[in-house]
Every structure is written in structure tokens, then in C-alpha cells.
Amino acid sequence: MNSNLIPVGIIGTGSYVPEQIITNKDLEKIVDTSDEWIVTRTGISERRKAESHIASSDMGVIAAQRAIEAAGIKATEIDLIIVATITPDMLFPSTACIIQDKLGATNAAAFDLSAACTGFIYGLSVAAQYIATGMYKYVLVIGTETLSRIIHPADRSTLILFGDGAGAALLGPVKEGGILSFDLGADGSGTMLLYQEAGGSRVPASLESVQQGKHYLTMMGNDVFKFAVRIMGETSLKALNKIGLTCADIDFLIPHQANIRIVDAAVKRLQLPPSKVYINLDKYGNMSGASIPVALDEAVRGKKIKKGDMIVLVGFGAGLTWGSCVLDWIY
Ligand code: ACO
């Protein structure tokens, strides 16, 4: 980091997952699949599903309140709210504005950021710039997803993977340590590997688009898998190398929770023992933009992370996008 910049750290985290649990056995009753297939191919045993009246902002608010409380500041002190989501309450206004109102964060600017599962890391990088330059003091980054609303109920290849939930991190200036580096990337040639076709300006909502199921998530699972296996290790190493570190310096890895085989490939590339990796995909599946902040919050509250630990957050997602962040944990 440029020495004129203010050091930035995560000073509080929070998360929320809905109470309703959907097990693999439950899914066996809906589509042609088995608990054995799902566990072997993905590592996922169950996921959470939001009640029908709950939207992404509702879960995001709870996660945010917990992060604000952990940071020990008031909602009115927040300068900016960034929400990473591919399942906003509405296409507009932003879910960030809805959350700003519900939090009473009356002094905060607010916007959404679209980078799918990498959204939380992209969000951290944006937040860090505002604080590092002195423009803002406190920025709240939230990843919140109600993926159950965009998954085709009869598509066994996606129904088994995704879950609902929200995570949040409050960023502020710190004396030392904190966020040390980022590596971000995108490859738009992979747009059609993972997308929701209808509901935007190219295929507006119509009777036909709904009948054809174009409002549901479509994924080329194998292609995304191959990309993810390569990129998770690669981007982590790039972020480490930027600050002269190697994988031997990692104390704890918090990867995007898409598939245990993808995480295992990254862990192998980074030569890490399992004890240094946080996994909760068995309980929640892939919560897209919410996966990393939920895992981070659980790791913090479960005391898996301690002051001075070198943490790597790493994710990939639709876009295609990818990103990693190295942090010297400050509390
Ligand atoms: N139950 C049983 N069989 C299934 C299921 C299921 N739920 N789903 C697929 N199958 C079948 C397929 O139809 C196929 O059958 P066939 O050989 O007769 O054609 C067979 O199982 C193998 O299918 P593959 O797709 O080759 O299985 P694979 O081992 O690749 O696993 C999976 C599929 C789990 C989707 C994997 O490719 C994956 O995890 N991909 C990455 C997905 C991902 O991470 N997406 C999120 C990105 S993040 C974001 O931005 C949202």
C-alpha cells in the first residue's frame, strides 16, 4: 500500500441465515438425486431457505446490525453501504438503499455491486479505497442472497448447490495491519457460463420469458468447475505475491463455499493443512455473495481467527469474476 494512505481493516462482522433447513433427503423427494451423489460431488449436506415474505434486504439488515454492534459504532456513523448481491429485492432501487433506510444509517451513501460470488471481495476493495484516501471513515459491506428465488425447482444440477443467507463486514481506519492487498479479475467471455437471462433489458419479463423459465439461474457446471479449480489458487498467490508473501505465510483461508472439490484444489495448490481452512458449505451450500462474509463471521465468532493472523479471502463467480484479499487480522 502507498504510505500516504490510511490503513484499513475489518472492525466488525455479522451474519444471518434463515432457520428453515433443506436437507439432501428433502431434495431426493423433489428431483432425481441422492444424498450420496450430492455429498460426494459437492460436500453439501443441507442449505437454508428464506420464508417467502423474506427478501435479501431483510437478511442483510440483520447481518449488518450484528456487524455494527461488533464494531461498536452507531448506524448514523456509517458513511457508505455497499451491497453485493445477484438477488436484489428489486432491480432498482438498490438493496443498499433499502438496507440504509432499515438500519437508520441516515448519513450513508448506498449502492449495489454486481460481481456474483466474488461480490463481497469486490465490495471490500471498493470500501477500502474510500477509507484509505480519507474520503470516508466507516463503510459497511454486505453480501446477501435469496438464491432460492432464482433456482429452477426441477433443475437438479443447481437446486442442490445454492442456499440463502447474509453476511456483513464493517470497515474503518486502523492503526496498523488490516487489509494488505487485493487481486481482482474478470473474464467477460465467460458470461454465458452462469447467468440469469430474463428480467433485464435484453430479455424483459414477459409471459413467454416466464413460461420458458428464463428467470432462473442457468449454469454450465463443468466449465465453471474447471475455471474455479484453476483460479482460486492463482488469485490467492497473486494477492500474496504483491506484498512479498507466499502460501507459507497464510494462517487461515476463507474460500468461497461453492463445492468441496473446488476448495480442496485451492488448498492443495496453496499447500495448506485442513486446519487452516474454513468450511461451512456442508451446512449452507453456495450462498454466492454471502458465502465469504458468513464464513468470515463464523470464523471470527468461533475464535478460529486471532489478532495478527494472516487471512486470505478468495472467491470466484459469474462474469466470470474472481478475487482475493490478504488481511492482517486486527482483533
Ligand atoms: N443428482 C444426481 N445426478 C446429477 C445431479 C444431481 N443433483 N446433477 C447432475 N447429475 C448428473 C448429470 O446429469 C450427469 O449425468 P450423465 O453423466 O448421465 O449426463 C452426471 O451427474 C455428472 O454430471 P456432471 O455435471 O459432470 O457432474 P460434476 O461432477 O461436474 O458435478 C457440479 C456437477 C456439482 C455442478 C459441478 O460441476 C460444480 O460444482 N460446478 C461448479 C459450480 C459452481 O461452483 N457454481 C457457482 C459459481 S459461483 C456464482 O457466481 C453463483
Side-chain angles (χ1 to χ4, degrees):
M1 284 246 188
N2 178 332
S3 58
N4 293 324
L5 296 175
I6 298 163
V8 183
I10 291 177
I11 58 170
T13 63
S15 63
Y16 171 80
V17 291
E19 277 177 23
Q20 191 187 2
I21 297 173
I22 309 291
T23 65
N24 292 348
K25 289 277 174 206
D26 294 329
L27 297 183
E28 282 179 3
K29 294 174 202 147
I30 304 169
V31 291
D32 180 14
T33 190
S34 67
D35 175 54
E36 197 263 331
W37 193 96
I38 302 171
V39 171
T40 313
R41 300 291 182 116
T42 71
I44 299 166
S45 294
E46 54 190 50
R47 67 289 293 144
R48 300 299 175 102
K49 187 176 180 186
E51 286 181 68
S52 57
H53 67 282
I54 298 296
S56 293
S57 71
D58 301 311
M59 294 186 289
V61 164
I62 301 171
Q65 284 165 335
R66 292 175 179 169
I68 294 165
E69 195 187 327
I73 67 155
K74 294 199 249 352
T76 48
E77 291 180 83
I78 299 169
D79 299 300
L80 172 65
I81 298 171
I82 301 171
V83 173
T85 185
I86 54 168
T87 48
D89 286 24
M90 301 178 254
L91 271 183
F92 73 89
S94 68
T95 300
C97 280
I98 299 167
I99 291 178
Q100 185 248 25
D101 180 46
K102 289 180 182 172
L103 288 175
T106 45
N107 296 311
F111 63 85
D112 286 1
L113 184 156
S114 177
C117 303
T118 322
F120 182 73
I121 292 179
Y122 267 60
L124 287 183
S125 76
V126 177
Q129 311 311 309
Y130 282 108
I131 299 166
T133 54
M135 178 163 170
Y136 288 142
K137 187 169 182 192
Y138 295 123
V139 182
L140 181 62
V141 183
I142 302 165
T144 183
E145 302 285 10
T146 322
L147 290 156
S148 57
R149 302 286 150 73
I150 63 162
I151 302 301
H152 196 301
D155 178 3
R156 66 178 182 175
S157 67
T158 52
L159 183 65
I160 59 157
L161 292 178
F162 296 100
D164 301 338
L170 195 75
L171 279 73
V174 294
K175 289 200 175 73
E176 54 184 355
I179 292 172
L180 302 181
S181 78
F182 286 100
D183 176 62
L184 301 178
D187 176 6
S189 71
T191 298
M192 299 313 279
L193 296 183
L194 184 50
Y195 59 95
Q196 183 185 8
E197 189 176 0
S201 57
R202 189 162 300 282
V203 184
S206 67
L207 184 57
E208 196 189 15
S209 71
V210 173
Q211 281 170 343
Q212 291 174 353
K214 291 184 174 175
H215 298 266
Y216 291 119
L217 176 151
T218 302
M219 183 177 73
M220 308 303 141
N222 274 317
D223 294 311
V224 175
F225 186 88
K226 282 181 217 148
F227 152 73
V229 159
R230 173 176 61 81
I231 208 72
M232 293 272 274
E234 226 171 83
T235 182
S236 302
L237 288 172
K238 276 192 187 164
L240 286 163
N241 291 345
K242 279 181 189 172
I243 46 170
L245 300 183
T246 69
C247 39
D249 297 300
I250 303 175
D251 291 309
F252 209 66
L253 180 79
I254 300 190
H256 175 46
Q257 309 279 319
N259 183 320
I260 195 67
R261 294 186 291 145
I262 295 172
V263 175
D264 285 347
V267 167
K268 196 171 164 202
R269 176 94 188 263
L270 298 171
Q271 300 162 8
L272 292 174
S275 59
K276 290 189 172 185
V277 185
Y278 196 77
I279 306 284
N280 63 9
L281 62 85
D282 51 325
K283 296 187 292 181
Y284 306 137
N286 179 349
M287 297 182 288
S288 188
S291 274
I292 291 174
V294 169
L296 175 64
D297 183 51
E298 287 191 349
V300 169
R301 288 173 193 263
K303 307 215 181 308
K304 304 268 180 207
I305 296 174
K306 58 182 186 314
K307 190 175 189 304
D309 277 352
M310 202 58 75
I311 311 295
V312 174
L313 311 178
V314 59
F316 68 93
L320 297 167
T321 55
W322 60 90
S324 56
C325 172
V326 182
L327 303 103
D328 178 354
W329 199 252
I330 57 151
Y331 67 94

